[in-house]
Amino acid sequence: MSEFNTLSAMGLTDVNAISHYKLSRQDNQEVLKVYFKRPAGSAMPDSSTFCFDCNTVVPADAEAASQSKDNGGSDPVLIAAVNELNALNKSISNHDRRLQLVNELDRLEQIMAAKLQELREDLNRIV
């Protein structure tokens, strides 16, 4: 497990339970959400979220400015964590990844169908 030092430092000690991750930006933060494979009914969380402030570099520091430009202002810990997560994802087969995507699409379709139904009911109440 020594190859995943950053993930371990973030509290993600069971790297075998990690299924995938998503990276997004909200305001001046980058948000890393790590999802886990859990059995149905498990009391353990399905995901963990980590927020990283975007670095602001003092222009007088040329070396730091250069490094920040290379990584888009991302936190070095975030970059190391994403690199480790990518290394983990390479070990996941295409079939497993396809199943993950199909499950995610099914879940999103259910959410959208419920929201559309709610909007239709609201519309009917107005008319």
Side-chain angles (χ1 to χ4, degrees):
M1 298 275 177
S2 63
E3 61 186 307
F4 303 112
N5 292 333
T6 306
L7 296 177
S8 294
M10 293 169 62
L12 302 174
T13 53
D14 186 10
V15 294
N16 294 322
I18 296 173
S19 66
H20 64 286
Y21 72 93
K22 290 188 181 183
L23 188 61
S24 62
R25 186 175 287 239
Q26 294 177 354
D27 298 324
N28 199 30
Q29 287 189 327
E30 290 177 297
V31 180
L32 175 66
K33 190 164 186 176
V34 180
Y35 296 87
F36 306 106
K37 299 175 240 171
R38 300 281 191 224
S42 172
M44 299 294 290
D46 291 332
S47 64
S48 288
T49 303
F50 303 91
C51 297
F52 298 88
D53 288 331
C54 294
N55 290 336
T56 54
V57 178
V58 178
D61 187 358
E63 182 179 343
S66 173
Q67 283 180 340
S68 180
K69 186 176 118 183
D70 292 342
N71 63 27
S74 295
D75 189 293
V77 174
L78 173 63
I79 293 170
V82 168
N83 287 338
E84 291 178 11
L85 288 165
N86 286 338
L88 273 173
N89 277 345
K90 286 182 182 176
S91 66
I92 297 175
S93 72
N94 282 340
H95 178 70
D96 291 341
R97 181 65 181 142
R98 185 178 188 290
L99 287 176
Q100 288 173 351
L101 291 173
V102 167
N103 289 338
E104 190 169 340
L105 279 172
D106 289 344
R107 185 181 63 81
L108 288 173
E109 285 175 349
Q110 290 173 351
I111 291 170
M112 291 302 295
K115 186 62 177 175
L116 288 170
Q117 181 63 32
E118 178 184 330
L119 291 172
R120 285 187 181 103
E121 289 170 0
D122 289 348
L123 186 61
N124 287 335
R125 277 189 225 118
I126 293 173
V127 175

